[in-house]
Amino acid sequence: MILKNTLPKVLMSILLGVVFTLSYGQTGTVNGTVVDDKKEPVMGATVKIKGTGLGASTDMDGKFAILNVPTGQQVIQISYIGFVNQEQTLEVSSGINTAPTLTMKEDNKVLDEVVVVGYGTQIKKNVSSSLSEVKSDVIADKPVYDFTSSLQGQAAGVQITTDNGLAGATTTVRIRGTKSLSNSAEPLYVIDGVPIVSYDISNADATSGYNISPMSSIDPNDIESVVILKDAAATAIYGSRGANGVIVVTTKQGKSGKPKVDFSFNTGMSQAAHVISILDGPQYQKLYTEASKNDCPTCPVKYPNGITDSTAANTNWLKQLLRTGHFEDANVSISGGDDKGSYYVGMGFRDDNSFMVGNAYKRASLRANINHDVNKYFSFGVNSSLSYTYNKYVPTSFVGGLGAAESSMLPIYPIYNKDGTYFLPGLNPVAQVNLNNSENNTWRTISDAYLTVTPVQGLTFRNDFGIDMINQLENFYTSPIILGGDSGIATDRRDFYFTWNLNTTLDYKKDINANNAIDFLVGFNPTETTEKFSYVSETGFPVSNFTQPQQGTTILAGVAGTGRQYSFLSYLARVNYTLFQRFLFQLSFRVDGSSRFEPGHQYGYFPAGSVGYVMSDEKFFNKKQKAMTLFKIRASVGETGNANMTTDFAYLSAYSGGQSYAGMPGIGPSNLPVSNLSWETTLKADLGFDFAFLNGRLSGTIDLYRENTYNLIVSSAPLSPSSGFSSATRNIGSLYNEGAELQLISNNLGPKSKFVWKTTLNIATNKNEVTNLGGVASVGGTNYGNNEAVVGQPVGVWLLAKYAGVNSETGQPMIYDLNGNKVVATAANTVADAVPVGRPYPYFQGGLNNFFSFHDFDLNVMLTFSVGNQIYDDDGKRQTGDMAFGWNQLTDALNAWTTPGQVTNIPKLSLVQNYDINTTRYLYDASFLRLRNVELGYNFPARIAAKMKMRSFRISVSGQNLAVATKYKGWDPETNRDNSGAVTQGVSYLNTPQARIYAFGFKVGF
């Protein structure tokens, strides 16, 4: 019985063994070589037999060997980074060595990728100028409201500072340093060919102590790419508007194929990234008593505003103003197209309540991009967006709110009186937030319509007409309780901004033969900008519920029909010539006319040229440099201008009212007319290298640049008193920027690894120096702080007396005089002995991004850093031992001098000796290393998504501003106070912290 059951199994096993042995014996060997299209061996390529686990990698000579390959027809799969994945069918015979030579084609997807440049596009390999491109995956679906924030750390030589963490607040952008003193230092923004307004036109600064960003009206999810143009060859085509660099934004377009629907949703929470340490109630009482006894040991201690030991509170005012915020961001788009055209329609909504009590921001946006080819001769299209934004301001800085919570509102003050009314010794920030109201409602459209005509192959006539229109309404209401009167004040401010822009270009492209190609562009570009605003304030409201100006009975102030208008008229030309597909030449020329200058000086001329040499395409190079797959040298030189003046028509003498003579009211000149005022011009030179190793596993760029700006326009150039004016707008100086930039992209692991690790690093240095001020010793900033432009120093140095510490015997603050002697600091000598110190801009800055993926999981970690810049704590001088000013103190004040022989940096406390003086004691190192962003995502496999009737499905969690390493003890080392200009940078004054954000999101495609 056992034999009967066992015998069949034994026979079957023997039979299977024989079959296996016979089949195993019917194998062959594939022993071949992999080369590129230039017959050079490809090292490290992966060669596999499709449908089996058999494979090998090529050696240094491109050779490989795969044993025991089943006989018959087999498909060989070849893959390597930088080459197109390929398959080849081979006939494998038993016991025979098959030795094919397999040729891989270089993947030119990256090199032949089209990149947006000024007034057109170019193949990336043929670009001979300096630019950086940031793709949509870096910008979209991030927990930010402003796309410029997403650019931080992504491009070499581009410094982006998020001024504060309030919803809708501004960012400061500098490309290769600062090139102006009084004019704007911000770059030009161009969206789908339309130059747009990038400065704050609201009144948020005056009413709330901070600026809001006009870029926040643009939905980041609609952006396809952002190209940052840096050198003259890239920016001179924009002439008088390109000196500070150009940021070219291209929005998403539909692609040929079935309609695609994409939906994304992000939600999360926000909180202050860091909270400063200030005194609580008992600590303040202790230091106040100490200061009082230092002044008069026998006098009784009298707290301010009637507070006594028995009535003193212990109020944490910061806690009253800070909260955990939350936001939601939803976007949906539908796109598609065919061989005749494409369409993209996107809608978005964001609702953001920040970590500041009362602060809110909402945005609703709609975008429609439509392109249609009528026939081979005609095509047209529209790129149009409409957005509505709502911004509820909260008071900060000098206006109150959080600024008052950390300064003038002492911790011994209660929030409410015993009867439930607000305690009002000054600006009670809780009362301000609860009783006052400041809000902004803005409609904005950025639209462009175009028509192209191609009468013959290679010749294209294109006409674009674009507009940027902003209609803004601001409402402000101040409660009578805050004012201490019987009626509140309501203000209505309306601002209308309109720019129209016409681009008419004729472009001729011709591949003359295999070795010669030319692209010639000429164009005509008029632009006009109009801004109007009206302003009315009223009081005398019959009931407390009335908070709108039209409900009041008494007009306090009203201005109607005020505004400005200016225009540009430009002509441009550019030619690109490619020789032997590796020698690159570009020349451009632009003529700009501006209505801001007087006749005879209205036109500026801005030429530029560049050359490039793709050395890696030479045969001799490939034979010697097998590891280097790309090496391109490029150089450029040219001029750009800056006509972005803070005042229009400075060559004219304007008259204003409010002036009197002999007691009689009248009008008089408000400025001196300035003749011969001309363009501020920057001469730029750049030397760059583009390279790639191991077929793209390591690639990058290196740039060295020098930029000389001359004919600096200074709005506060000093004049002789005999002129009747203290200053005027003049061309009086020059400065330069020079530096180096490095950008690296590394695929750290080999192509066979299932684990992907990609690193992107960019780092940039910049040296900035004022070289001439027309005989003037220094020129001040346009607003606050002690920043100055001084010959031989970086732009924005501080004029400060050097702090020499505290006299250990007397407790008095000391400074070094101009002779190097230690003297007691006074209000007079801290001005007389002030010297240029510090720098608001870093020695070097950049970003480090690491991307990891394994199967369907991915992790992205972004670090940003800044080294060598400083911050002047303009409020710190009143909060680190200056009890006489009447503000609360930082906890550092607990280390104040108390006894002879004590070594400390904080002077003896006093209620009568005011230390509100400017010295280097308040100048801090603001270098930082920030964990900017961490995102963990999971992409559902296609088969699972398909079962859910989806094309794709992704979920993610992320965090932003999770940690920062810095010596700076303030709110945040990354800050700028309101209305900071080109000179005034790196100054804090009761600033608002950055936001730390935790988010969850998902994205679905159908």
Side-chain angles (χ1 to χ4, degrees):
M1 186 70 178
I2 296 175
L3 182 62
K4 182 179 179 180
N5 291 334
T6 305
L7 185 59
K9 296 179 180 179
V10 173
L11 293 174
M12 181 60 70
S13 298
I14 294 172
L15 179 60
L16 289 173
V18 171
V19 171
F20 176 78
T21 303
L22 291 173
S23 63
Y24 188 82
Q26 295 176 354
T27 62
T29 301
V30 178
N31 190 347
T33 304
V34 177
V35 298
D36 60 18
D37 52 7
K38 299 173 185 175
K39 304 306 179 184
E40 296 292 331
V42 177
M43 178 184 68
T46 299
V47 185
K48 294 181 178 180
I49 307 299
K50 188 175 183 178
T52 74
L54 302 174
S57 295
T58 58
D59 61 18
M60 293 184 63
D61 298 318
K63 297 184 180 299
F64 69 94
I66 306 176
L67 306 177
N68 302 320
V69 180
T71 58
Q73 281 195 343
Q74 298 292 342
V75 177
I76 307 295
Q77 296 177 316
I78 323 159
S79 62
Y80 190 58
I81 295 175
F83 289 87
V84 178
N85 293 341
Q86 291 177 233
E87 293 186 351
Q88 185 171 330
T89 302
L90 296 176
E91 185 70 33
V92 179
S93 301
S94 176
I96 297 177
N97 182 15
T98 305
T101 296
L102 308 174
T103 302
M104 298 194 75
K105 294 182 178 179
E106 190 173 342
D107 185 359
N108 290 320
K109 182 172 63 176
V110 176
L111 295 180
D112 292 345
E113 179 184 352
V114 173
V115 63
V116 176
V117 296
Y119 296 91
T121 59
Q122 276 187 279
I123 295 175
K124 197 168 187 178
K125 182 180 178 180
N126 294 341
V127 171
S128 56
S129 57
S130 179
L131 54 83
S132 296
E133 184 177 24
V134 181
K135 294 296 187 68
S136 60
D137 57 344
V138 174
I139 301 168
D141 302 320
K142 296 295 187 293
V144 295
Y145 51 84
D146 185 337
F147 77 89
T148 58
S149 296
S150 299
L151 302 179
Q152 189 177 47
Q154 299 291 344
V158 182
Q159 181 189 9
I160 296 177
T161 302
T162 305
D163 292 349
N164 61 66
L166 290 168
T170 53
T171 57
T172 298
V173 180
R174 296 290 182 268
I175 300 176
R176 293 185 170 180
T178 296
K179 305 170 188 66
S180 188
L181 299 182
S182 297
N183 286 2
S184 171
E186 292 288 312
L188 170 68
Y189 290 83
V190 179
I191 297 184
D192 291 330
V194 182
I196 66 168
V197 63
S198 59
Y199 58 86
D200 182 13
I201 66 172
S202 77
N203 205 36
D205 165 56
T207 61
S208 302
Y210 65 100
N211 297 104
I212 62 171
S213 171
M215 297 300 161
S216 65
S217 64
I218 301 165
D219 190 340
N221 292 281
D222 287 334
I223 294 176
E224 179 65 28
S225 70
V226 176
V227 177
I228 302 166
L229 310 181
K230 295 184 282 190
D231 71 343
T235 61
I237 197 71
Y238 289 100
S240 65
R241 311 179 79 176
N244 298 321
V246 182
I247 295 181
V248 181
V249 178
T250 302
T251 58
K252 293 178 178 178
Q253 305 290 328
K255 295 178 176 61
S256 182
K258 294 180 180 180
K260 294 181 179 180
V261 178
D262 291 285
F263 174 77
S264 65
F265 178 79
N266 285 275
T267 185
M269 54 184 282
S270 64
Q271 54 190 214
H274 172 68
V275 178
I276 60 173
S277 179
I278 58 177
L279 301 179
D280 61 20
Q283 288 173 327
Y284 183 83
Q285 287 178 272
K286 175 180 178 295
L287 293 194
Y288 191 92
T289 300
E290 181 182 320
S292 177
K293 295 300 182 181
N294 286 340
D295 295 331
C296 181
T298 60
C299 296
V301 177
K302 295 183 179 180
Y303 298 115
N305 290 295
I307 298 295
T308 65
D309 284 326
S310 61
T311 62
N314 185 15
T315 303
N316 187 332
W317 289 101
L318 296 182
K319 191 175 181 179
Q320 298 298 318
L321 274 294
L322 298 175
R323 65 181 178 186
T324 297
H326 61 87
F327 75 93
E328 293 82 34
D329 194 325
N331 289 270
V332 63
S333 67
I334 180 170
S335 62
D338 54 25
D339 58 350
K340 285 292 187 179
S342 65
Y343 60 90
Y344 171 89
V345 178
M347 293 178 288
F349 179 76
R350 183 179 180 90
D351 187 359
D352 193 340
N353 294 275
S354 81
F355 60 84
M356 284 279 290
V357 173
N359 181 221
Y361 169 84
K362 293 179 174 63
R363 177 183 63 221
S365 62
L366 173 65
R367 170 165 289 280
N369 293 345
I370 301 171
N371 305 282
H372 181 66
D373 297 332
V374 179
N375 50 43
K376 67 178 182 179
Y377 302 109
F378 297 95
S379 63
F380 65 88
V382 174
N383 300 304
S384 182
S385 70
L386 176 66
S387 67
Y388 165 76
T389 56
Y390 168 82
N391 201 319
K392 190 175 190 306
Y393 308 148
V394 288
T396 64
S397 188
F398 60 89
V399 179
L402 188 65
E406 65 174 288
S407 61
S408 60
M409 287 308 292
L410 304 177
I412 59 175
Y413 292 159
I415 302 173
Y416 303 99
N417 296 309
K418 289 183 178 180
D419 61 1
T421 59
Y422 286 103
F423 181 76
L424 293 167
L427 291 174
N428 184 321
V430 175
Q432 275 187 302
V433 170
N434 291 339
L435 300 178
N436 293 351
N437 185 59
S438 298
E439 57 186 26
N440 177 311
N441 294 271
T442 300
W443 289 90
R444 184 177 194 177
T445 180
I446 302 173
S447 300
D448 174 72
Y450 73 87
L451 170 69
T452 64
V453 180
T454 309
V456 296
Q457 184 176 357
L459 182 64
T460 302
F461 169 82
R462 179 172 174 127
N463 206 49
D464 286 76
F465 182 77
I467 62 170
D468 179 16
M469 183 170 65
I470 301 174
N471 200 336
Q472 180 174 268
L473 169 63
E474 293 177 287
N475 297 113
F476 308 106
Y477 175 73
T478 305
S479 166
I481 296 175
I482 301 297
L483 295 171
D486 297 326
S487 181
I489 296 176
T491 301
D492 181 314
R493 184 179 186 273
R494 298 171 186 264
D495 203 315
F496 177 76
Y497 175 97
F498 182 76
T499 289
W500 63 263
N501 179 79
L502 176 66
N503 290 329
T504 301
T505 59
L506 187 65
D507 189 10
Y508 179 67
K509 297 181 180 180
K510 175 70 173 178
D511 290 337
I512 301 171
N513 53 43
N515 296 323
N516 293 270
I518 193 168
D519 182 354
F520 185 68
L521 173 79
V522 293
F524 168 67
N525 176 209
T527 302
E528 185 176 83
T529 298
T530 302
E531 185 177 352
K532 301 177 181 178
F533 78 91
S534 61
Y535 181 100
V536 62
S537 291
E538 292 203 21
T539 187
F541 300 101
V543 294
S544 60
N545 288 7
F546 286 4
T547 60
Q548 299 299 316
Q550 61 269 27
Q551 297 169 328
T553 58
T554 304
I555 296 178
L556 296 177
V559 178
T562 301
R564 61 178 184 162
Q565 185 177 63
Y566 57 90
S567 59
F568 291 91
L569 179 61
S570 307
Y571 306 89
L572 58 100
R574 180 178 62 207
V575 59
N576 286 286
Y577 175 62
T578 304
L579 176 64
F580 298 121
Q581 300 182 11
R582 56 186 181 274
F583 296 101
L584 315 171
F585 304 91
Q586 177 180 291
L587 291 174
S588 67
F589 188 70
R590 179 168 175 128
V591 179
D592 270 342
S594 172
S595 64
R596 287 170 159 167
F597 297 103
E598 66 178 314
H601 295 274
Q602 289 182 324
Y603 283 90
Y605 305 92
F606 307 100
S610 66
V611 295
Y613 175 32
V614 187
M615 186 182 292
S616 54
D617 280 356
E618 296 284 5
K619 291 182 179 180
F620 70 83
F621 187 90
N622 278 290
K623 289 180 180 179
K624 295 182 180 180
Q625 299 290 337
K626 296 181 180 180
M628 181 174 280
T629 50
L630 171 67
F631 185 67
K632 179 171 69 176
I633 307 172
R634 48 184 167 76
S636 67
V637 65
E639 287 189 334
T640 56
N642 189 345
N644 198 356
M645 301 167 63
T646 55
T647 56
D648 298 315
F649 314 112
Y651 66 92
L652 298 174
S653 180
Y655 283 75
S656 61
Q659 303 189 44
S660 61
Y661 180 76
M664 298 294 292
I667 63 172
S670 55
N671 68 284
L672 189 71
V674 180
S675 60
N676 302 322
L677 189 66
S678 62
W679 299 88
E680 190 173 87
T681 305
T682 299
L683 174 64
K684 301 181 177 183
D686 183 277
L687 176 65
F689 306 89
D690 301 335
F691 55 87
F693 294 91
L694 302 175
N695 295 297
R697 280 191 62 182
L698 176 64
S699 61
T701 63
I702 297 174
D703 277 276
L704 307 172
Y705 65 88
R706 169 89 179 202
E707 301 181 348
N708 295 325
T709 302
Y710 56 95
N711 282 339
L712 281 171
I713 297 175
V714 177
S715 60
S716 56
L719 292 176
S720 169
S722 61
S723 66
F725 295 88
S726 60
S727 64
T729 300
R730 295 192 294 153
N731 298 103
I732 67 166
S734 60
L735 60 84
Y736 74 84
N737 287 271
E738 63 181 17
E741 300 167 356
L742 170 66
Q743 183 137 354
L744 292 175
I745 301 173
S746 173
N747 294 282
N748 299 316
L749 303 178
K752 293 193 296 181
S753 176
K754 294 181 180 179
F755 182 74
V756 175
W757 176 18
K758 180 179 179 181
T759 299
T760 303
L761 168 69
N762 73 79
I763 186 170
T765 67
N766 178 266
K767 180 183 178 182
N768 174 289
E769 185 177 312
V770 178
T771 54
N772 181 24
L773 287 176
V776 177
S778 66
V779 172
T782 53
N783 31 51
Y784 318 104
N786 281 49
N787 301 80
E788 297 275 338
V790 180
V791 175
Q793 300 289 333
V795 173
V797 296
W798 290 272
L799 287 183
L800 300 170
K802 289 187 176 181
Y803 190 56
V806 172
N807 186 311
S808 62
E809 297 302 318
T810 65
Q812 293 297 307
M814 309 293 288
I815 64 167
Y816 292 102
D817 65 16
L818 296 181
N819 297 317
N821 301 313
K822 287 186 179 183
V823 296
V824 176
T826 66
N829 66 15
T830 51
V831 174
D833 294 323
V835 294
V837 292
R839 52 178 290 149
Y841 297 103
Y843 289 114
F844 63 89
Q845 52 87 27
L848 175 66
N849 190 78
N850 278 286
F851 174 80
F852 309 91
S853 70
F854 184 72
H855 292 294
D856 299 312
F857 289 92
D858 57 68
L859 174 67
N860 200 78
V861 181
M862 179 71 183
L863 299 171
T864 58
F865 54 87
S866 177
V867 177
N869 56 306
Q870 293 166 298
I871 283 179
Y872 185 68
D873 228 347
D874 211 12
D875 52 4
K877 61 190 177 186
R878 299 169 179 172
Q879 291 190 288
T880 49
D882 187 11
M883 299 292 292
F885 197 80
W887 282 9
N888 195 9
Q889 304 291 295
L890 300 172
T891 53
D892 284 353
L894 294 169
N895 299 318
W897 184 93
T898 56
T899 56
Q902 180 182 355
V903 178
T904 180
N905 205 40
I906 312 296
K908 177 182 177 180
L909 301 181
S910 172
L911 299 181
V912 295
Q913 185 176 356
N914 195 332
Y915 300 136
D916 186 21
I917 51 180
N918 296 306
T919 72
T920 57
R921 177 185 166 198
Y922 313 106
L923 189 62
Y924 298 100
D925 181 3
S927 302
F928 68 84
L929 173 64
R930 185 186 298 278
L931 182 55
R932 175 68 178 173
N933 191 71
V934 176
E935 181 177 359
L936 175 64
Y938 178 72
N939 299 284
F940 284 80
R943 65 181 186 279
I944 296 178
K947 290 180 181 180
M948 296 186 287
K949 308 299 181 183
M950 300 175 184
R951 187 182 80 252
S952 61
F953 184 27
R954 172 182 172 82
I955 59 174
S956 64
V957 291
S958 64
Q960 186 159 322
N961 287 339
L962 296 180
V964 61
T966 182
K967 294 179 180 179
Y968 180 60
K969 294 183 179 180
W971 285 104
D972 199 280
E974 186 184 344
T975 188
N976 267 320
R977 72 165 299 174
D978 59 296
N979 275 339
S980 292
V983 175
T984 305
Q985 289 284 299
V987 176
S988 69
Y989 187 80
L990 305 175
N991 283 21
T992 305
Q994 299 290 342
R996 177 172 295 152
I997 300 173
Y998 303 94
F1000 166 78
F1002 66 86
K1003 187 173 184 178
V1004 181
F1006 297 95

